[in-house]
Amino acid sequence: MSAAVALQPLPKIEVKHLTVNYAERNREFTALRDVNFTVEEGEFVSVIGASGCGKSTLLSVLEGLYQQADGTITISGEPLSGTGKERGVVFQHYSLFPWMTTRKNIAFGIAQVRKDLTKKQRLEIADTFLEKVGLGEFGEKYPSQLSGGMQQRAAIARALAMDTEILLMDEPFSAIDAKNRIVLQELLLKLWEDGCGSDGAKKRRSVVFVTHDIDEAILLSDKIVVLTAHPGTVAEIIPVPFERPRDRKTLVQTPGYGQFRNRLLSLFYNDIAERIGGEEVVL
């Protein structure tokens, strides 16, 4: 009898030949064209590219909010069909309900995916994740009483507390000042690497992280999907070669970091230069 062949696990997310068109003023535009990539279980994937290349459109499709014009997307082997409880989202803007306290904002998110929990249990989980993001003393504050960085910490806490299998993050730190952006990057990295779940289990989520910040993408990612300028197509998918756990100070001093960063910069800027008829950027 022949030995059983081990089955390869299915990708958590698989995008095949995705093309997205939209109409504007009786004209049709292509936002994304023939996009292909996968996200494995527990993998952190960043998507980078120039403004207007379709990064946010791609995330909207993965959220189930935008009907793709062509191609397929599967989640754990099943066709994507609308929104789902296995996907949590962190938006560019903080998206907290202004009439709810920070604690209740997080508990509300939990309630959308965990109908089996009591109100008391949801609030206890909310308190746990407020502590994880350094907001333990601010649970009874309203969003208007928090700084922008604190509001985004609360949004991250809510997404993690929902305990979804997948996190979709749309430039979550772009509206934050430079100092707090670094703090939030390090916080997200630690929480993801620790794999903290609402039940105490250690399991890393699969993440799709949209950004235009190359250093941020290198720090956080297992691999980086580089999109060309409009319409967005995959220029290259690049594994990040640096070991985990990572921290910014050590990472930037790692041999090969500068060369790897310059490779990404060349892909990023030379694509833009070609579109506007400029000269190739040599780094």
Side-chain angles (χ1 to χ4, degrees):
M1 183 181 293
S2 59
V5 177
L7 296 176
Q8 293 295 321
L10 292 170
K12 197 66 184 176
I13 303 172
E14 186 169 24
V15 179
K16 283 188 175 182
H17 307 298
L18 176 67
T19 296
V20 175
N21 299 311
Y22 65 94
E24 185 177 281
R25 296 180 181 177
N26 298 319
R27 294 179 61 190
E28 188 174 86
F29 296 87
T30 301
L32 296 167
R33 178 180 293 157
D34 197 28
V35 171
N36 297 271
F37 68 95
T38 60
V39 180
E40 304 301 329
E41 184 79 46
E43 189 175 34
F44 199 119
V45 177
S46 286
V47 180
I48 68 171
S51 296
C53 72
K55 301 186 300 295
S56 292
T57 298
L58 173 61
L59 216 65
S60 293
V61 175
L62 293 176
E63 291 166 29
L65 300 177
Y66 199 111
Q67 180 63 46
Q68 64 263 38
D70 193 19
T72 61
I73 297 177
T74 57
I75 306 291
S76 299
E78 296 295 323
L80 176 73
S81 178
T83 57
K85 293 181 179 180
E86 77 284 352
R87 281 161 281 156
V89 184
V90 179
F91 298 98
Q92 182 174 345
H93 300 289
Y94 318 126
S95 65
L96 301 175
F97 296 120
W99 59 88
M100 289 185 182
T101 63
T102 307
R103 186 181 187 225
K104 288 183 178 178
N105 261 286
I106 297 172
F108 178 84
I110 298 168
Q112 306 314 299
V113 295
R114 293 294 306 274
K115 304 294 185 184
D116 57 312
L117 298 177
T118 66
K119 179 180 178 181
K120 180 182 178 182
Q121 288 172 320
R122 293 194 292 266
L123 288 171
E124 287 173 350
I125 293 171
D127 289 338
T128 296
F129 280 86
L130 281 170
E131 290 289 344
K132 288 182 183 295
V133 299
L135 293 177
E137 299 178 3
F138 297 89
E140 296 307 315
K141 299 290 186 181
Y142 289 89
S144 62
Q145 298 173 299
L146 304 179
S147 68
M150 293 168 76
Q151 289 185 58
Q152 198 63 313
R153 286 188 189 211
I156 291 169
R158 181 176 59 190
L160 292 173
M162 290 169 68
D163 219 8
T164 57
E165 301 168 20
I166 296 168
L167 274 181
L168 305 173
M169 310 187 78
D170 189 5
E171 299 191 50
F173 308 140
S174 62
I176 308 297
D177 65 85
K179 180 180 178 181
N180 278 310
R181 182 170 186 147
I182 290 172
V183 170
L184 287 172
Q185 288 167 357
E186 298 279 0
L187 173 65
L188 174 62
L189 185 62
K190 182 180 187 306
L191 292 172
W192 176 80
E193 288 182 337
D194 287 349
C196 53
S198 61
D199 59 356
K202 301 290 185 181
K203 184 178 180 181
R204 289 181 179 175
R205 277 99 163 158
S206 302
V207 180
V208 180
F209 186 96
V210 165
T211 182
H212 59 264
D213 186 318
I214 286 173
D215 294 296
E216 181 173 79
I218 298 172
L219 174 68
L220 297 173
S221 309
D222 293 309
K223 70 185 179 192
I224 299 171
V225 178
V226 183
L227 295 183
T228 65
H230 179 80
T233 60
V234 176
E236 198 167 341
I237 299 174
I238 305 175
V240 178
F242 307 112
E243 293 183 357
R244 296 186 185 276
R246 297 178 192 152
D247 66 81
R248 180 183 301 275
K249 183 177 180 180
T250 304
L251 181 62
V252 297
Q253 297 173 351
T254 301
Y257 179 84
Q259 184 178 0
F260 184 77
R261 183 177 186 273
N262 284 344
R263 178 186 174 192
L264 287 169
L265 282 169
S266 294
L267 279 170
F268 190 85
Y269 287 111
N270 286 334
D271 176 66
I272 297 173
E274 288 175 10
R275 300 286 171 147
I276 62 176
E279 296 182 357
E280 182 178 355
V281 178
V282 179
L283 297 169

